[in-house]
Each structure stands twice: as C-alpha cells, then as structure tokens.
mmCIF file of all heavy atoms in Angstrom:
data_model
loop_
_atom_site.group_PDB
_atom_site.id
_atom_site.type_symbol
_atom_site.label_atom_id
_atom_site.label_comp_id
_atom_site.label_asym_id
_atom_site.label_seq_id
_atom_site.Cartn_x
_atom_site.Cartn_y
_atom_site.Cartn_z
ATOM 1 N N MET Z 1 0.839 -1.179 0.000
ATOM 2 C CA MET Z 1 0.000 0.000 0.000
ATOM 3 C C MET Z 1 0.887 1.248 0.000
ATOM 4 O O MET Z 1 1.864 1.330 0.724
ATOM 5 C CB MET Z 1 -0.896 -0.025 1.226
ATOM 6 C CG MET Z 1 -1.905 1.055 1.246
ATOM 7 S SD MET Z 1 -3.089 0.686 2.566
ATOM 8 C CE MET Z 1 -4.056 2.109 2.442
ATOM 9 N N LEU Z 2 0.522 2.217 -0.807
ATOM 10 C CA LEU Z 2 1.313 3.435 -0.917
ATOM 11 C C LEU Z 2 0.974 4.431 0.187
ATOM 12 O O LEU Z 2 -0.170 4.518 0.640
ATOM 13 C CB LEU Z 2 1.078 4.098 -2.270
ATOM 14 C CG LEU Z 2 1.626 3.359 -3.479
ATOM 15 C CD1 LEU Z 2 1.223 4.086 -4.753
ATOM 16 C CD2 LEU Z 2 3.126 3.242 -3.405
ATOM 17 N N GLU Z 3 1.974 5.170 0.557
ATOM 18 C CA GLU Z 3 1.823 6.206 1.572
ATOM 19 C C GLU Z 3 1.235 7.456 0.920
ATOM 20 O O GLU Z 3 1.496 7.739 -0.246
ATOM 21 C CB GLU Z 3 3.213 6.503 2.120
ATOM 22 C CG GLU Z 3 3.260 7.273 3.380
ATOM 23 C CD GLU Z 3 4.678 7.385 3.915
ATOM 24 O OE1 GLU Z 3 5.629 7.028 3.213
ATOM 25 O OE2 GLU Z 3 4.810 7.832 5.036
ATOM 26 N N SER Z 4 0.474 8.225 1.671
ATOM 27 C CA SER Z 4 -0.091 9.450 1.101
ATOM 28 C C SER Z 4 1.031 10.453 0.858
ATOM 29 O O SER Z 4 2.006 10.500 1.626
ATOM 30 C CB SER Z 4 -1.143 10.045 2.024
ATOM 31 O OG SER Z 4 -0.535 10.716 3.102
ATOM 32 N N PRO Z 5 0.942 11.264 -0.195
ATOM 33 C CA PRO Z 5 1.990 12.245 -0.490
ATOM 34 C C PRO Z 5 2.216 13.234 0.652
ATOM 35 O O PRO Z 5 3.352 13.606 0.931
ATOM 36 C CB PRO Z 5 1.470 12.962 -1.731
ATOM 37 C CG PRO Z 5 0.522 12.018 -2.365
ATOM 38 C CD PRO Z 5 -0.082 11.231 -1.236
ATOM 39 N N VAL Z 6 1.171 13.644 1.322
ATOM 40 C CA VAL Z 6 1.308 14.596 2.425
ATOM 41 C C VAL Z 6 2.144 13.984 3.547
ATOM 42 O O VAL Z 6 3.061 14.615 4.076
ATOM 43 C CB VAL Z 6 -0.076 15.031 2.954
ATOM 44 C CG1 VAL Z 6 0.049 15.894 4.178
ATOM 45 C CG2 VAL Z 6 -0.861 15.753 1.874
ATOM 46 N N LYS Z 7 1.846 12.758 3.882
ATOM 47 C CA LYS Z 7 2.586 12.066 4.941
ATOM 48 C C LYS Z 7 4.053 11.893 4.535
ATOM 49 O O LYS Z 7 4.955 12.053 5.357
ATOM 50 C CB LYS Z 7 1.936 10.712 5.199
ATOM 51 C CG LYS Z 7 2.353 10.052 6.453
ATOM 52 C CD LYS Z 7 1.516 8.792 6.671
ATOM 53 C CE LYS Z 7 1.785 8.203 8.024
ATOM 54 N NZ LYS Z 7 1.007 6.979 8.240
ATOM 55 N N PHE Z 8 4.291 11.566 3.293
ATOM 56 C CA PHE Z 8 5.653 11.390 2.789
ATOM 57 C C PHE Z 8 6.467 12.668 2.962
ATOM 58 O O PHE Z 8 7.576 12.651 3.493
ATOM 59 C CB PHE Z 8 5.616 10.986 1.310
ATOM 60 C CG PHE Z 8 6.966 10.971 0.664
ATOM 61 C CD1 PHE Z 8 7.828 9.910 0.862
ATOM 62 C CD2 PHE Z 8 7.383 12.022 -0.139
ATOM 63 C CE1 PHE Z 8 9.084 9.901 0.269
ATOM 64 C CE2 PHE Z 8 8.625 12.022 -0.728
ATOM 65 C CZ PHE Z 8 9.486 10.947 -0.521
ATOM 66 N N PHE Z 9 5.922 13.817 2.522
ATOM 67 C CA PHE Z 9 6.660 15.073 2.590
ATOM 68 C C PHE Z 9 6.829 15.572 4.020
ATOM 69 O O PHE Z 9 7.830 16.194 4.346
ATOM 70 C CB PHE Z 9 6.000 16.134 1.713
ATOM 71 C CG PHE Z 9 6.251 15.896 0.254
ATOM 72 C CD1 PHE Z 9 5.223 15.460 -0.572
ATOM 73 C CD2 PHE Z 9 7.497 16.082 -0.296
ATOM 74 C CE1 PHE Z 9 5.457 15.217 -1.916
ATOM 75 C CE2 PHE Z 9 7.744 15.844 -1.640
ATOM 76 C CZ PHE Z 9 6.714 15.412 -2.452
ATOM 77 N N LYS Z 10 5.875 15.291 4.896
ATOM 78 C CA LYS Z 10 6.004 15.690 6.299
ATOM 79 C C LYS Z 10 7.094 14.896 7.008
ATOM 80 O O LYS Z 10 7.690 15.366 7.967
ATOM 81 C CB LYS Z 10 4.678 15.517 7.027
ATOM 82 C CG LYS Z 10 3.701 16.611 6.732
ATOM 83 C CD LYS Z 10 2.472 16.502 7.595
ATOM 84 C CE LYS Z 10 1.535 17.652 7.312
ATOM 85 N NZ LYS Z 10 0.362 17.631 8.196
ATOM 86 N N ASN Z 11 7.371 13.694 6.542
ATOM 87 C CA ASN Z 11 8.360 12.824 7.178
ATOM 88 C C ASN Z 11 9.776 13.009 6.634
ATOM 89 O O ASN Z 11 10.696 12.358 7.115
ATOM 90 C CB ASN Z 11 7.953 11.364 7.045
ATOM 91 C CG ASN Z 11 6.767 11.030 7.918
ATOM 92 O OD1 ASN Z 11 6.553 11.639 8.944
ATOM 93 N ND2 ASN Z 11 5.983 10.062 7.483
ATOM 94 N N LEU Z 12 9.956 13.859 5.649
ATOM 95 C CA LEU Z 12 11.300 14.103 5.129
ATOM 96 C C LEU Z 12 12.139 14.828 6.173
ATOM 97 O O LEU Z 12 11.623 15.649 6.932
ATOM 98 C CB LEU Z 12 11.236 14.963 3.861
ATOM 99 C CG LEU Z 12 10.735 14.279 2.602
ATOM 100 C CD1 LEU Z 12 10.619 15.298 1.474
ATOM 101 C CD2 LEU Z 12 11.645 13.146 2.197
ATOM 102 N N PRO Z 13 13.446 14.554 6.225
ATOM 103 C CA PRO Z 13 14.299 15.259 7.197
ATOM 104 C C PRO Z 13 14.441 16.733 6.828
ATOM 105 O O PRO Z 13 14.266 17.111 5.668
ATOM 106 C CB PRO Z 13 15.636 14.539 7.092
ATOM 107 C CG PRO Z 13 15.615 13.850 5.789
ATOM 108 C CD PRO Z 13 14.184 13.586 5.442
ATOM 109 N N LYS Z 14 14.777 17.555 7.821
ATOM 110 C CA LYS Z 14 14.983 18.983 7.585
ATOM 111 C C LYS Z 14 16.144 19.182 6.622
ATOM 112 O O LYS Z 14 17.119 18.440 6.635
ATOM 113 C CB LYS Z 14 15.305 19.698 8.897
ATOM 114 C CG LYS Z 14 14.172 19.745 9.864
ATOM 115 C CD LYS Z 14 13.576 21.093 9.834
ATOM 116 C CE LYS Z 14 12.461 21.181 10.859
ATOM 117 N NZ LYS Z 14 11.581 22.241 10.608
ATOM 118 N N LYS Z 15 16.015 20.198 5.780
ATOM 119 C CA LYS Z 15 17.076 20.537 4.846
ATOM 120 C C LYS Z 15 18.219 21.186 5.631
ATOM 121 O O LYS Z 15 17.988 22.029 6.491
ATOM 122 C CB LYS Z 15 16.533 21.505 3.798
ATOM 123 C CG LYS Z 15 17.489 21.779 2.670
ATOM 124 C CD LYS Z 15 16.806 22.628 1.612
ATOM 125 C CE LYS Z 15 17.691 22.877 0.435
ATOM 126 N NZ LYS Z 15 17.018 23.692 -0.569
ATOM 127 N N ARG Z 16 19.456 20.780 5.343
ATOM 128 C CA ARG Z 16 20.616 21.317 6.048
ATOM 129 C C ARG Z 16 21.526 22.061 5.080
ATOM 130 O O ARG Z 16 21.625 21.720 3.913
ATOM 131 C CB ARG Z 16 21.399 20.199 6.723
ATOM 132 C CG ARG Z 16 20.617 19.540 7.826
ATOM 133 C CD ARG Z 16 21.483 18.597 8.614
ATOM 134 N NE ARG Z 16 20.780 18.054 9.753
ATOM 135 C CZ ARG Z 16 20.774 18.613 10.961
ATOM 136 N NH1 ARG Z 16 21.449 19.703 11.186
ATOM 137 N NH2 ARG Z 16 20.088 18.057 11.936
ATOM 138 N N CYS Z 17 22.194 23.070 5.619
ATOM 139 C CA CYS Z 17 23.141 23.860 4.829
ATOM 140 C C CYS Z 17 24.308 22.978 4.414
ATOM 141 O O CYS Z 17 24.841 22.199 5.213
ATOM 142 C CB CYS Z 17 23.637 25.046 5.660
ATOM 143 S SG CYS Z 17 24.924 26.009 4.850
ATOM 144 N N TYR Z 18 24.731 23.126 3.179
ATOM 145 C CA TYR Z 18 25.836 22.345 2.642
ATOM 146 C C TYR Z 18 27.151 22.703 3.332
ATOM 147 O O TYR Z 18 27.995 21.836 3.532
ATOM 148 C CB TYR Z 18 25.942 22.590 1.133
ATOM 149 C CG TYR Z 18 27.038 21.816 0.455
ATOM 150 C CD1 TYR Z 18 26.889 20.460 0.185
ATOM 151 C CD2 TYR Z 18 28.226 22.432 0.083
ATOM 152 C CE1 TYR Z 18 27.886 19.745 -0.439
ATOM 153 C CE2 TYR Z 18 29.239 21.719 -0.539
ATOM 154 C CZ TYR Z 18 29.060 20.368 -0.790
ATOM 155 O OH TYR Z 18 30.067 19.666 -1.392
ATOM 156 N N SER Z 19 27.322 23.957 3.737
ATOM 157 C CA SER Z 19 28.577 24.418 4.334
ATOM 158 C C SER Z 19 28.654 24.177 5.840
ATOM 159 O O SER Z 19 29.574 23.539 6.319
ATOM 160 C CB SER Z 19 28.779 25.904 4.067
ATOM 161 O OG SER Z 19 28.889 26.142 2.693
ATOM 162 N N CYS Z 20 27.683 24.700 6.589
ATOM 163 C CA CYS Z 20 27.761 24.644 8.054
ATOM 164 C C CYS Z 20 26.949 23.511 8.672
ATOM 165 O O CYS Z 20 27.032 23.284 9.870
ATOM 166 C CB CYS Z 20 27.354 25.987 8.651
ATOM 167 S SG CYS Z 20 25.605 26.386 8.451
ATOM 168 N N LYS Z 21 26.147 22.831 7.883
ATOM 169 C CA LYS Z 21 25.343 21.672 8.316
ATOM 170 C C LYS Z 21 24.227 22.016 9.296
ATOM 171 O O LYS Z 21 23.640 21.132 9.892
ATOM 172 C CB LYS Z 21 26.231 20.585 8.939
ATOM 173 C CG LYS Z 21 27.397 20.163 8.089
ATOM 174 C CD LYS Z 21 26.959 19.521 6.808
ATOM 175 C CE LYS Z 21 28.182 18.996 6.059
ATOM 176 N NZ LYS Z 21 28.102 19.169 4.650
ATOM 177 N N LYS Z 22 23.886 23.286 9.459
ATOM 178 C CA LYS Z 22 22.782 23.671 10.335
ATOM 179 C C LYS Z 22 21.471 23.555 9.564
ATOM 180 O O LYS Z 22 21.444 23.751 8.355
ATOM 181 C CB LYS Z 22 22.971 25.104 10.822
ATOM 182 C CG LYS Z 22 24.129 25.251 11.779
ATOM 183 C CD LYS Z 22 24.210 26.660 12.298
ATOM 184 C CE LYS Z 22 25.391 26.801 13.238
ATOM 185 N NZ LYS Z 22 25.532 28.162 13.747
ATOM 186 N N PRO Z 23 20.372 23.235 10.261
ATOM 187 C CA PRO Z 23 19.067 23.157 9.582
ATOM 188 C C PRO Z 23 18.687 24.501 8.970
ATOM 189 O O PRO Z 23 18.952 25.553 9.545
ATOM 190 C CB PRO Z 23 18.098 22.789 10.699
ATOM 191 C CG PRO Z 23 18.936 22.190 11.762
ATOM 192 C CD PRO Z 23 20.269 22.857 11.668
ATOM 193 N N MET Z 24 18.088 24.456 7.795
ATOM 194 C CA MET Z 24 17.693 25.668 7.082
ATOM 195 C C MET Z 24 16.188 25.865 7.181
ATOM 196 O O MET Z 24 15.431 24.907 7.281
ATOM 197 C CB MET Z 24 18.066 25.559 5.599
ATOM 198 C CG MET Z 24 19.543 25.543 5.334
ATOM 199 S SD MET Z 24 19.958 25.253 3.599
ATOM 200 C CE MET Z 24 19.052 26.485 2.750
ATOM 201 N N VAL Z 25 15.774 27.134 7.141
ATOM 202 C CA VAL Z 25 14.358 27.458 7.057
ATOM 203 C C VAL Z 25 14.005 27.385 5.580
ATOM 204 O O VAL Z 25 14.523 28.153 4.771
ATOM 205 C CB VAL Z 25 14.074 28.868 7.618
ATOM 206 C CG1 VAL Z 25 12.620 29.225 7.427
ATOM 207 C CG2 VAL Z 25 14.472 28.946 9.070
ATOM 208 N N GLU Z 26 13.159 26.435 5.230
ATOM 209 C CA GLU Z 26 12.819 26.234 3.824
ATOM 210 C C GLU Z 26 11.697 27.162 3.387
ATOM 211 O O GLU Z 26 10.793 27.455 4.153
ATOM 212 C CB GLU Z 26 12.408 24.790 3.583
ATOM 213 C CG GLU Z 26 13.540 23.817 3.828
ATOM 214 C CD GLU Z 26 13.148 22.412 3.476
ATOM 215 O OE1 GLU Z 26 12.932 22.149 2.282
ATOM 216 O OE2 GLU Z 26 13.058 21.597 4.390
ATOM 217 N N GLN Z 27 11.776 27.599 2.143
ATOM 218 C CA GLN Z 27 10.738 28.408 1.540
ATOM 219 C C GLN Z 27 10.236 27.673 0.309
ATOM 220 O O GLN Z 27 10.933 26.841 -0.261
ATOM 221 C CB GLN Z 27 11.290 29.774 1.162
ATOM 222 C CG GLN Z 27 11.758 30.561 2.372
ATOM 223 C CD GLN Z 27 12.367 31.890 1.978
ATOM 224 O OE1 GLN Z 27 12.518 32.193 0.806
ATOM 225 N NE2 GLN Z 27 12.706 32.680 2.971
ATOM 226 N N ALA Z 28 9.036 27.989 -0.098
ATOM 227 C CA ALA Z 28 8.401 27.266 -1.200
ATOM 228 C C ALA Z 28 9.207 27.338 -2.496
ATOM 229 O O ALA Z 28 9.266 26.375 -3.241
ATOM 230 C CB ALA Z 28 6.995 27.808 -1.431
ATOM 231 N N ASP Z 29 9.836 28.463 -2.773
ATOM 232 C CA ASP Z 29 10.559 28.620 -4.040
ATOM 233 C C ASP Z 29 12.078 28.623 -3.853
ATOM 234 O O ASP Z 29 12.797 29.152 -4.675
ATOM 235 C CB ASP Z 29 10.103 29.892 -4.753
ATOM 236 C CG ASP Z 29 10.322 31.134 -3.909
ATOM 237 O OD1 ASP Z 29 10.596 30.997 -2.713
ATOM 238 O OD2 ASP Z 29 10.224 32.242 -4.454
ATOM 239 N N CYS Z 30 12.575 28.035 -2.779
ATOM 240 C CA CYS Z 30 13.996 28.054 -2.467
ATOM 241 C C CYS Z 30 14.652 26.739 -2.887
ATOM 242 O O CYS Z 30 14.284 25.679 -2.402
ATOM 243 C CB CYS Z 30 14.180 28.290 -0.975
ATOM 244 S SG CYS Z 30 15.896 28.322 -0.485
ATOM 245 N N TYR Z 31 15.639 26.823 -3.768
ATOM 246 C CA TYR Z 31 16.360 25.641 -4.211
ATOM 247 C C TYR Z 31 17.836 25.719 -3.846
ATOM 248 O O TYR Z 31 18.628 24.928 -4.317
ATOM 249 C CB TYR Z 31 16.224 25.456 -5.722
ATOM 250 C CG TYR Z 31 14.791 25.251 -6.134
ATOM 251 C CD1 TYR Z 31 14.067 26.268 -6.732
ATOM 252 C CD2 TYR Z 31 14.159 24.039 -5.904
ATOM 253 C CE1 TYR Z 31 12.744 26.078 -7.101
ATOM 254 C CE2 TYR Z 31 12.829 23.848 -6.269
ATOM 255 C CZ TYR Z 31 12.139 24.868 -6.863
ATOM 256 O OH TYR Z 31 10.843 24.680 -7.217
ATOM 257 N N THR Z 32 18.205 26.658 -2.995
ATOM 258 C CA THR Z 32 19.597 26.797 -2.610
ATOM 259 C C THR Z 32 19.984 25.700 -1.630
ATOM 260 O O THR Z 32 19.145 25.102 -0.970
ATOM 261 C CB THR Z 32 19.867 28.174 -1.963
ATOM 262 O OG1 THR Z 32 19.085 28.268 -0.786
ATOM 263 C CG2 THR Z 32 19.542 29.299 -2.909
ATOM 264 N N ASN Z 33 21.277 25.439 -1.524
ATOM 265 C CA ASN Z 33 21.744 24.435 -0.585
ATOM 266 C C ASN Z 33 22.650 25.047 0.483
ATOM 267 O O ASN Z 33 23.312 24.327 1.211
ATOM 268 C CB ASN Z 33 22.462 23.299 -1.315
ATOM 269 C CG ASN Z 33 23.644 23.782 -2.121
ATOM 270 O OD1 ASN Z 33 23.952 24.961 -2.167
ATOM 271 N ND2 ASN Z 33 24.322 22.854 -2.760
ATOM 272 N N LYS Z 34 22.682 26.394 0.557
ATOM 273 C CA LYS Z 34 23.440 27.089 1.593
ATOM 274 C C LYS Z 34 22.521 28.073 2.310
ATOM 275 O O LYS Z 34 21.659 28.688 1.690
ATOM 276 C CB LYS Z 34 24.619 27.851 0.992
ATOM 277 C CG LYS Z 34 25.717 26.961 0.464
ATOM 278 C CD LYS Z 34 26.903 27.780 0.017
ATOM 279 C CE LYS Z 34 27.988 26.886 -0.531
ATOM 280 N NZ LYS Z 34 29.128 27.686 -1.001
ATOM 281 N N CYS Z 35 22.734 28.227 3.614
ATOM 282 C CA CYS Z 35 21.914 29.159 4.391
ATOM 283 C C CYS Z 35 22.339 30.600 4.101
ATOM 284 O O CYS Z 35 23.338 30.845 3.416
ATOM 285 C CB CYS Z 35 22.033 28.850 5.883
ATOM 286 S SG CYS Z 35 23.666 29.125 6.580
ATOM 287 N N GLU Z 36 21.591 31.549 4.651
ATOM 288 C CA GLU Z 36 21.875 32.966 4.413
ATOM 289 C C GLU Z 36 23.247 33.362 4.932
ATOM 290 O O GLU Z 36 23.919 34.208 4.353
ATOM 291 C CB GLU Z 36 20.799 33.823 5.061
ATOM 292 C CG GLU Z 36 19.462 33.705 4.376
ATOM 293 C CD GLU Z 36 18.390 34.561 5.051
ATOM 294 O OE1 GLU Z 36 18.724 35.342 5.963
ATOM 295 O OE2 GLU Z 36 17.231 34.415 4.673
ATOM 296 N N LYS Z 37 23.677 32.784 6.035
ATOM 297 C CA LYS Z 37 24.972 33.137 6.633
ATOM 298 C C LYS Z 37 26.146 32.634 5.780
ATOM 299 O O LYS Z 37 27.192 33.245 5.770
ATOM 300 C CB LYS Z 37 25.083 32.557 8.041
ATOM 301 C CG LYS Z 37 24.125 33.205 9.003
ATOM 302 C CD LYS Z 37 24.238 32.590 10.374
ATOM 303 C CE LYS Z 37 23.217 33.216 11.307
ATOM 304 N NZ LYS Z 37 23.205 32.563 12.618
ATOM 305 N N CYS Z 38 25.956 31.534 5.080
ATOM 306 C CA CYS Z 38 27.042 30.951 4.274
ATOM 307 C C CYS Z 38 27.027 31.421 2.817
ATOM 308 O O CYS Z 38 27.975 31.167 2.086
ATOM 309 C CB CYS Z 38 26.956 29.442 4.318
ATOM 310 S SG CYS Z 38 27.250 28.759 5.955
ATOM 311 N N THR Z 39 25.966 32.073 2.401
ATOM 312 C CA THR Z 39 25.868 32.544 1.032
ATOM 313 C C THR Z 39 26.534 33.914 0.911
ATOM 314 O O THR Z 39 26.206 34.810 1.669
ATOM 315 C CB THR Z 39 24.391 32.670 0.601
ATOM 316 O OG1 THR Z 39 23.762 31.400 0.800
ATOM 317 C CG2 THR Z 39 24.257 33.048 -0.852
ATOM 318 N N PRO Z 40 27.457 34.051 -0.023
ATOM 319 C CA PRO Z 40 28.115 35.366 -0.182
ATOM 320 C C PRO Z 40 27.145 36.426 -0.700
ATOM 321 O O PRO Z 40 26.274 36.128 -1.506
ATOM 322 C CB PRO Z 40 29.221 35.092 -1.198
ATOM 323 C CG PRO Z 40 28.824 33.851 -1.899
ATOM 324 C CD PRO Z 40 27.948 33.079 -0.958
ATOM 325 N N VAL Z 41 27.327 37.631 -0.227
ATOM 326 C CA VAL Z 41 26.489 38.752 -0.669
ATOM 327 C C VAL Z 41 27.108 39.333 -1.938
ATOM 328 O O VAL Z 41 28.304 39.589 -2.000
ATOM 329 C CB VAL Z 41 26.412 39.842 0.438
ATOM 330 C CG1 VAL Z 41 25.581 41.016 -0.053
ATOM 331 C CG2 VAL Z 41 25.840 39.267 1.707
ATOM 332 N N ILE Z 42 26.271 39.537 -2.930
ATOM 333 C CA ILE Z 42 26.764 40.059 -4.213
ATOM 334 C C ILE Z 42 26.735 41.561 -4.208
ATOM 335 O O ILE Z 42 25.849 42.201 -3.783
ATOM 336 C CB ILE Z 42 25.916 39.517 -5.388
ATOM 337 C CG1 ILE Z 42 26.055 38.013 -5.416
ATOM 338 C CG2 ILE Z 42 26.365 40.119 -6.707
ATOM 339 C CD1 ILE Z 42 25.167 37.332 -6.452
#
C-alpha cells in the first residue's frame, strides 16, 4: 500500500546547509543548498 503524499513530505528530514550543516528554514521557491549566513552577498 502506498503512503499518502502529504505524509511522505512531512516525514522528510529537515534541509541542512551544505557548508555549516545547520538546519535551514525552507521556503516554497527556495532551491539553494546554503543558508543565508554561508551565502556570499553580491
């Protein structure tokens, strides 16, 4: 039996920053892999 999509996405682990490994606050349109502190300012 398949799991419901909502349950699947709720059970995913928190996204972590690639550089510092701290959990990131995810946004709907965010595809970055570094947090704000590790991302260089342009």
Side-chain angles (χ1 to χ4, degrees):
M1 187 168 176
L2 291 176
E3 195 174 10
S4 77
V6 174
K7 195 173 188 181
F8 172 79
F9 285 108
K10 282 187 178 184
N11 289 332
L12 287 175
K14 292 257 183 199
K15 188 174 183 180
R16 294 189 175 270
C17 175
Y18 181 77
S19 297
C20 69
K21 308 296 185 218
K22 291 184 181 179
M24 293 174 54
V25 176
E26 296 185 67
Q27 297 177 355
D29 59 347
C30 180
Y31 298 104
T32 62
N33 58 359
K34 290 186 181 178
C35 66
E36 291 179 7
K37 292 179 183 175
C38 295
T39 304
V41 178
I42 298 175

